[in-house]
């Protein structure tokens, strides 16, 4: 008798065409088709999405919470990446 | 980082009302507490399908049948959301299910009571889901991220559960004398078991202190119970029914009802396995799991075979 529940998949939903895919949860399934069908039954019973991505959990690479400081640091001192860094003459108005 | 520093980060998150995520450091006891609570919650959703499933084939109309089917299917989904939330803490689904099936794990005492008449399906949706919602609304802001997110999803789906139960009660309460008597009988039997769902009184609740400290819970058992009584009594009055509690009385000073405590000895008996339906529920769960074994085996074999075909191609 098998008690195996199959590998874990992460499920991403697109709410409406054109919108980004957002993570909504995970599930167990033995293969791709099953992952999609289970995701449909589990996460879209009320029209929550028009498109689904199912990704094997072990294929996801994630940053560590301890990384918050050093990992994202390089972006903090580059104020010139923001539009507010630049002065546009009043005469030009909106740009 | 040293242990102290990890602990400071954890405490800091709680203090700032930030959520703890799976990869964050957390104290062992916090992890253990969550695994126990989330898996008990998951088991409750799954076992909770049984008393209602009992009436699917005998629902009085096609409309009530599709509604009940959809409701019971939702509860299955809630169980799955919660099992995956528990799995982020490092336990496996097999382990959790095994604990349920061997009677090692607990689930809500409420599901060990029988659903004897159709009115019980009304009372369960109205009272039991009503009480569950009260608890779950609070848990949407629990400190562990995956648990909180599962709760947000669940709360969205719950709103129809309580309404469909109340609708059944309304039909019966405003129906014939016999129907009204059925509704009253269901209320009589479900009132105190529902009150027990919030857990023992604060003074005797062994896990409450930690749960509050870690912001897993944000309201105590007694606070939630009081809220439930205050919310439900006007609904009982609307139905023209009577709460089976001679001591129930509005208390202007506390802006809430005074009420009788449920029988806590009965509660202890039911959670330790001696309620009216404990054996039946456990047997039904085991039967379903065992009879599904061939499906899991076949799915696994099929996936394996397909992988081999791809590899050969
Ligand atoms: Fe539920
Ligand atoms: Fe529900």
């Amino acid at each position: 008798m098998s008690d195996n529940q199959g590998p874990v998949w992460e499920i991403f939903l697109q709410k409406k065409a054109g919108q980004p895919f957002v993570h909504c949860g995970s599930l167990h399934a033995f293969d791709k088709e099953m992952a999609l069908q289970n995701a449909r039954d589990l996460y879209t019973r009320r029209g929550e999405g028009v498109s689904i991505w199912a990704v094997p959990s072990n294929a996801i690479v994630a940053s560590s919470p301890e990384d918050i400081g050093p990992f994202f640091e390089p972006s903090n001192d580059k104020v010139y990446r923001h539009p507010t860094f630049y002065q546009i003459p009043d005469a030009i108005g909106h740009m | 980082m040293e242990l102290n520093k990890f602990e400071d980060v954890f405490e800091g998150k709680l203090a700032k009302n930030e959520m703890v995520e799976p990869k964050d450091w957390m104290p062992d006891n916090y992890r253990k507490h969550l695994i126990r609570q989330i898996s008990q919650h998951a088991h409750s959703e799954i076992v909770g399908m049984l008393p209602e499933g009992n009436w699917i084939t005998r629902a009085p109309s096609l409309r009530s049948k599709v509604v009940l089917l959809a409701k019971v299917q939702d509860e299955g989904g809630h169980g799955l959301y919660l099992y995956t939330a528990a799995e982020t803490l490092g336990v496996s689904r097999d382990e959790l299910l095994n604990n349920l099936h061997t009677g090692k794990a607990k689930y809500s005492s409420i599901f060990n009571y029988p659903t004897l008449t159709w009115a019980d399906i009304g009372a369960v949706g109205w009272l039991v889901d009503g009480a569950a919602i009260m608890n779950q609304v609070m848990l949407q802001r629990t400190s562990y991220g995956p648990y909180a997110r599962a709760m947000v999803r669940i709360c969205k789906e719950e709103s129809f559960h309580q309404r469909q139960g109340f609708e059944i009660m309304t039909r019966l309460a405003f129906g014939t004398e016999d129907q009204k008597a059925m509704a009253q009988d269901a209320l009589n039997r479900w009132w105190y078991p529902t009150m027990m769902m919030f857990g023992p009184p604060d003074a005797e609740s062994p896990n409450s202190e930690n749960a509050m400290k870690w912001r897993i819970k944000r309201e105590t058992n007694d606070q939630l119970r009081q809220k439930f009584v205050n919310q439900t009594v006007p609904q009982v009055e609307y139905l023209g029914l009577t709460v089976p509690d001679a001591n129930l009385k509005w208390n202007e000073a506390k802006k809430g009802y005074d009420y009788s405590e449920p029988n806590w000895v009965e509660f202890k008996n039911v959670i330790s396995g001696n309620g009216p339906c404990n054996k039946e529920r456990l047997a039904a769960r085991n039967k379903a799991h065992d009879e599904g074994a061939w499906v899991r085996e076949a799915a696994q074999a099929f996936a394996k075979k397909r992988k081999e075909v791809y590899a050969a191609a």
Side-chain angles (χ1 to χ4, degrees), chain B residues 245-293:
Chain B
D245 179 0
N247 297 319
L248 188 88
K249 190 169 93 251
W250 179 256
N251 179 334
E252 185 57 32
K254 71 171 184 188
K255 297 270 178 232
Y257 289 90
D258 291 331
Y259 57 86
S260 302
E261 291 289 317
N263 181 343
W264 292 114
V265 176
E266 175 183 321
F267 173 74
K268 278 191 191 124
N269 274 327
V270 176
I271 52 168
S272 49
N274 302 313
C277 300
N278 296 57
K279 300 220 163 52
E280 191 184 325
R281 301 290 183 244
L282 216 54
R285 271 310 316 152
N286 273 294
K287 181 168 181 273
H289 188 70
D290 293 347
E291 289 179 355

Coordinates of all heavy atoms in Angstrom, one line a residue, chain B residues 245-293:
Chain B
D245 N -30.5 27.7 27.3 CA -29.7 28.1 28.4 C -30.6 29.0 29.3 O -30.8 30.2 28.9 CB -28.5 28.8 27.9 CG -27.6 29.4 29.0 OD1 -28.0 29.2 30.2 OD2 -26.6 30.0 28.7
A246 N -31.0 28.5 30.4 CA -31.9 29.3 31.3 C -31.2 30.5 31.9 O -31.9 31.5 32.3 CB -32.4 28.4 32.4
N247 N -29.9 30.5 31.9 CA -29.1 31.6 32.4 C -28.8 32.7 31.4 O -28.1 33.7 31.8 CB -27.8 31.1 33.1 CG -28.1 30.1 34.2 OD1 -29.0 30.4 35.0 ND2 -27.4 29.1 34.3
L248 N -29.2 32.5 30.2 CA -28.8 33.5 29.2 C -29.5 34.8 29.5 O -30.7 34.8 29.5 CB -29.2 33.0 27.8 CG -28.7 33.8 26.6 CD1 -27.3 33.4 26.3 CD2 -29.6 33.7 25.4
K249 N -28.7 35.9 29.6 CA -29.3 37.2 29.9 C -28.4 38.3 29.5 O -27.2 38.2 29.6 CB -29.5 37.2 31.5 CG -30.3 38.3 32.0 CD -30.7 38.1 33.5 CE -29.7 38.7 34.4 NZ -28.8 37.8 35.1
W250 N -29.0 39.4 28.9 CA -28.2 40.5 28.5 C -27.6 41.2 29.7 O -28.3 41.4 30.7 CB -29.1 41.5 27.7 CG -28.3 42.7 27.3 CD1 -28.3 44.0 27.9 CD2 -27.3 42.8 26.3 NE1 -27.4 44.8 27.2 CE2 -26.8 44.1 26.3 CE3 -26.8 41.9 25.4 CZ2 -25.8 44.6 25.4 CZ3 -25.8 42.3 24.5 CH2 -25.3 43.6 24.5
N251 N -26.3 41.5 29.7 CA -25.7 42.2 30.8 C -25.2 43.6 30.3 O -24.2 43.7 29.5 CB -24.5 41.3 31.2 CG -23.7 41.9 32.4 OD1 -23.7 43.2 32.5 ND2 -23.0 41.1 33.1
E252 N -25.9 44.6 30.7 CA -25.7 45.9 30.1 C -24.3 46.4 30.5 O -23.6 47.1 29.7 CB -26.8 46.9 30.7 CG -26.7 48.3 30.1 CD -26.9 48.4 28.6 OE1 -27.5 47.5 28.0 OE2 -26.2 49.3 28.0
A253 N -23.8 46.0 31.7 CA -22.5 46.5 32.1 C -21.4 46.0 31.2 O -20.5 46.8 30.9 CB -22.2 46.0 33.6
K254 N -21.5 44.8 30.8 CA -20.4 44.3 29.9 C -20.8 44.3 28.4 O -20.0 43.9 27.5 CB -19.9 42.9 30.3 CG -20.9 41.8 30.0 CD -20.2 40.4 30.3 CE -21.2 39.3 29.9 NZ -20.7 37.9 30.3
K255 N -22.0 44.9 28.2 CA -22.5 45.0 26.8 C -22.4 43.6 26.1 O -21.9 43.5 24.9 CB -21.7 46.0 26.0 CG -21.8 47.4 26.5 CD -23.0 48.1 25.8 CE -23.1 49.6 26.4 NZ -24.5 49.9 26.9
G256 N -22.8 42.6 26.8 CA -22.8 41.2 26.2 C -23.7 40.4 27.0 O -24.2 40.8 28.1
Y257 N -23.9 39.1 26.6 CA -24.8 38.2 27.3 C -24.0 37.4 28.3 O -22.9 37.0 28.1 CB -25.4 37.2 26.3 CG -26.5 37.8 25.4 CD1 -26.1 38.4 24.1 CD2 -27.8 37.9 25.7 CE1 -27.0 39.0 23.3 CE2 -28.7 38.5 24.9 CZ -28.4 39.0 23.7 OH -29.3 39.6 22.9
D258 N -24.7 37.2 29.5 CA -24.2 36.2 30.4 C -24.7 34.9 29.9 O -25.8 34.8 29.4 CB -24.7 36.5 31.8 CG -24.1 37.7 32.4 OD1 -23.0 38.1 32.1 OD2 -24.8 38.4 33.2
Y259 N -23.9 33.8 30.0 CA -24.3 32.5 29.5 C -23.8 31.4 30.4 O -22.8 31.6 31.2 CB -23.9 32.4 28.1 CG -22.4 32.5 27.9 CD1 -21.5 31.4 28.1 CD2 -21.8 33.7 27.6 CE1 -20.1 31.5 28.0 CE2 -20.4 33.9 27.4 CZ -19.6 32.8 27.6 OH -18.3 32.9 27.5
S260 N -24.3 30.2 30.2 CA -23.8 29.0 31.0 C -22.7 28.4 30.2 O -22.7 28.4 29.0 CB -24.9 28.0 31.1 OG -26.0 28.5 31.8
E261 N -21.7 28.0 30.9 CA -20.5 27.3 30.3 C -21.0 25.9 29.8 O -21.9 25.3 30.4 CB -19.5 27.0 31.4 CG -18.7 28.2 31.9 CD -17.8 28.8 30.8 OE1 -17.1 28.0 30.1 OE2 -17.8 30.0 30.6
P262 N -20.5 25.4 28.8 CA -20.8 24.0 28.3 C -20.2 23.1 29.4 O -19.4 23.5 30.2 CB -20.1 23.9 27.0 CG -19.1 25.0 26.9 CD -19.5 26.1 27.8
N263 N -20.6 21.8 29.2 CA -20.1 20.8 30.2 C -18.6 20.4 29.8 O -18.4 19.6 28.8 CB -21.0 19.6 30.1 CG -20.6 18.5 31.0 OD1 -19.5 18.4 31.5 ND2 -21.6 17.6 31.2
W264 N -17.7 20.9 30.6 CA -16.3 20.7 30.2 C -15.8 19.2 30.4 O -14.8 18.8 29.9 CB -15.4 21.7 30.9 CG -15.6 23.1 30.4 CD1 -16.1 24.1 31.1 CD2 -15.4 23.6 29.0 NE1 -16.3 25.2 30.2 CE2 -15.8 24.9 29.0 CE3 -14.9 23.0 27.9 CZ2 -15.7 25.7 27.8 CZ3 -14.9 23.7 26.7 CH2 -15.3 25.1 26.7
V265 N -16.5 18.5 31.3 CA -16.2 17.1 31.5 C -16.5 16.3 30.2 O -15.8 15.5 29.7 CB -17.0 16.5 32.7 CG1 -16.7 15.0 32.8 CG2 -16.6 17.3 33.9
E266 N -17.7 16.7 29.6 CA -18.1 16.1 28.3 C -17.0 16.4 27.3 O -16.6 15.5 26.5 CB -19.5 16.6 27.9 CG -19.9 16.1 26.5 CD -21.3 16.7 26.1 OE1 -22.2 16.8 27.0 OE2 -21.4 17.0 24.9
F267 N -16.6 17.7 27.2 CA -15.6 18.1 26.3 C -14.3 17.2 26.3 O -13.8 16.7 25.3 CB -15.3 19.6 26.5 CG -14.1 20.1 25.7 CD1 -14.3 20.4 24.3 CD2 -12.9 20.4 26.3 CE1 -13.3 20.9 23.6 CE2 -11.8 20.9 25.5 CZ -12.0 21.2 24.2
K268 N -13.9 17.0 27.6 CA -12.7 16.2 27.8 C -12.9 14.8 27.3 O -12.0 14.2 26.7 CB -12.2 16.2 29.2 CG -11.4 17.5 29.5 CD -10.7 17.5 30.9 CE -10.2 18.9 31.2 NZ -10.7 19.4 32.4
N269 N -14.0 14.3 27.6 CA -14.3 12.9 27.1 C -14.3 12.8 25.6 O -13.8 11.9 25.0 CB -15.7 12.5 27.6 CG -15.6 11.9 29.0 OD1 -14.6 11.3 29.3 ND2 -16.7 12.1 29.8
V270 N -15.0 13.8 25.0 CA -15.1 13.7 23.5 C -13.7 13.9 22.8 O -13.4 13.1 21.9 CB -16.0 14.8 23.0 CG1 -16.1 14.8 21.4 CG2 -17.4 14.6 23.5
I271 N -12.9 14.8 23.3 CA -11.5 15.0 22.7 C -10.6 13.8 23.0 O -9.7 13.5 22.3 CB -10.8 16.3 22.9 CG1 -10.7 16.6 24.4 CG2 -11.4 17.4 22.2 CD1 -9.7 17.8 24.7
S272 N -10.9 13.1 24.1 CA -10.0 11.9 24.3 C -10.6 10.6 23.7 O -10.1 9.5 24.1 CB -9.7 11.8 25.8 OG -10.9 11.9 26.6
G273 N -11.5 10.8 22.8 CA -11.9 9.6 22.0 C -13.3 9.0 22.3 O -13.7 8.0 21.7
N274 N -14.0 9.5 23.3 CA -15.2 8.9 23.8 C -16.5 9.6 23.4 O -17.5 9.4 24.1 CB -15.1 8.6 25.3 CG -13.9 7.7 25.6 OD1 -13.7 6.7 24.9 ND2 -13.1 8.1 26.6
G275 N -16.5 10.4 22.4 CA -17.7 11.1 22.0 C -18.6 10.1 21.2 O -18.2 9.0 20.9
P276 N -19.8 10.6 20.9 CA -20.7 9.7 20.2 C -20.3 9.1 18.9 O -20.6 8.0 18.5 CB -22.0 10.5 20.0 CG -21.7 11.9 20.6 CD -20.4 11.9 21.2
C277 N -19.4 9.8 18.1 CA -19.0 9.4 16.8 C -17.5 9.2 16.6 O -17.1 9.0 15.4 CB -19.6 10.3 15.7 SG -21.4 10.5 15.7
N278 N -16.7 9.3 17.6 CA -15.3 9.3 17.4 C -14.8 8.0 16.6 O -14.1 8.1 15.6 CB -14.5 9.3 18.7 CG -14.7 10.5 19.5 OD1 -15.8 10.9 19.8 ND2 -13.6 11.2 19.8
K279 N -15.3 6.9 17.0 CA -14.9 5.6 16.3 C -15.3 5.6 14.9 O -14.6 5.2 14.0 CB -15.5 4.4 17.1 CG -15.0 4.4 18.5 CD -14.7 3.0 19.1 CE -13.8 3.2 20.3 NZ -14.5 4.1 21.4
E280 N -16.6 6.0 14.7 CA -17.1 6.0 13.3 C -16.3 7.0 12.4 O -16.0 6.6 11.3 CB -18.6 6.5 13.4 CG -19.4 6.4 12.2 CD -20.8 7.0 12.4 OE1 -21.3 6.9 13.6 OE2 -21.4 7.6 11.5
R281 N -16.0 8.1 12.9 CA -15.2 9.1 12.1 C -13.9 8.6 11.7 O -13.4 8.7 10.6 CB -15.1 10.4 12.8 CG -16.3 11.1 13.3 CD -17.1 11.7 12.1 NE -18.3 12.4 12.5 CZ -19.5 12.1 12.3 NH1 -19.8 11.0 11.5 NH2 -20.6 12.8 12.7
L282 N -13.2 8.0 12.7 CA -11.8 7.5 12.4 C -11.9 6.3 11.5 O -11.1 6.2 10.6 CB -11.2 7.1 13.8 CG -9.7 7.3 13.9 CD1 -9.4 8.8 13.6 CD2 -9.2 6.9 15.3
A283 N -12.9 5.5 11.6 CA -13.1 4.3 10.7 C -13.3 4.8 9.3 O -12.8 4.3 8.3 CB -14.2 3.4 11.2
A284 N -14.2 5.8 9.2 CA -14.5 6.4 7.8 C -13.3 6.9 7.2 O -13.0 6.8 6.0 CB -15.6 7.4 7.9
R285 N -12.5 7.7 7.9 CA -11.2 8.3 7.4 C -10.3 7.2 6.9 O -9.7 7.3 5.8 CB -10.5 9.1 8.4 CG -10.9 10.6 8.5 CD -10.9 11.3 7.2 NE -9.7 11.0 6.4 CZ -9.7 11.0 5.1 NH1 -10.7 11.4 4.4 NH2 -8.6 10.7 4.5
N286 N -10.1 6.2 7.8 CA -9.2 5.1 7.4 C -9.6 4.3 6.2 O -8.8 4.0 5.3 CB -9.0 4.1 8.6 CG -7.9 4.6 9.6 OD1 -6.7 4.6 9.2 ND2 -8.3 5.0 10.7
K287 N -10.9 4.1 6.1 CA -11.5 3.4 5.0 C -11.2 4.1 3.7 O -10.7 3.6 2.7 CB -13.0 3.2 5.2 CG -13.7 2.4 4.1 CD -15.1 2.0 4.6 CE -15.9 1.2 3.5 NZ -16.6 2.1 2.5
A288 N -11.5 5.5 3.7 CA -11.3 6.3 2.5 C -9.8 6.3 2.1 O -9.5 6.2 0.9 CB -11.8 7.7 2.8
H289 N -9.0 6.4 3.1 CA -7.5 6.4 2.8 C -7.1 5.1 2.2 O -6.4 5.1 1.2 CB -6.8 6.8 4.0 CG -5.3 7.1 3.8 ND1 -4.9 8.2 3.1 CD2 -4.2 6.3 4.1 CE1 -3.6 8.1 3.0 NE2 -3.1 7.0 3.6
D290 N -7.5 4.0 2.8 CA -7.0 2.7 2.4 C -7.6 2.4 1.0 O -6.9 1.9 0.1 CB -7.5 1.6 3.4 CG -6.8 1.7 4.7 OD1 -5.8 2.5 4.7 OD2 -7.2 1.1 5.7
E291 N -8.9 2.7 0.8 CA -9.5 2.4 -0.5 C -8.9 3.4 -1.6 O -9.1 3.1 -2.8 CB -11.0 2.5 -0.4 CG -11.6 1.4 0.4 CD -13.1 1.4 0.5 OE1 -13.7 2.4 0.1 OE2 -13.6 0.4 1.1
G292 N -8.2 4.4 -1.2 CA -7.6 5.3 -2.2 C -6.2 4.9 -2.6 O -5.6 5.5 -3.4
A293 N -5.7 3.9 -1.9 CA -4.3 3.5 -2.0 C -4.0 3.2 -3.5 O -2.9 3.6 -4.0 CB -3.9 2.4 -1.1

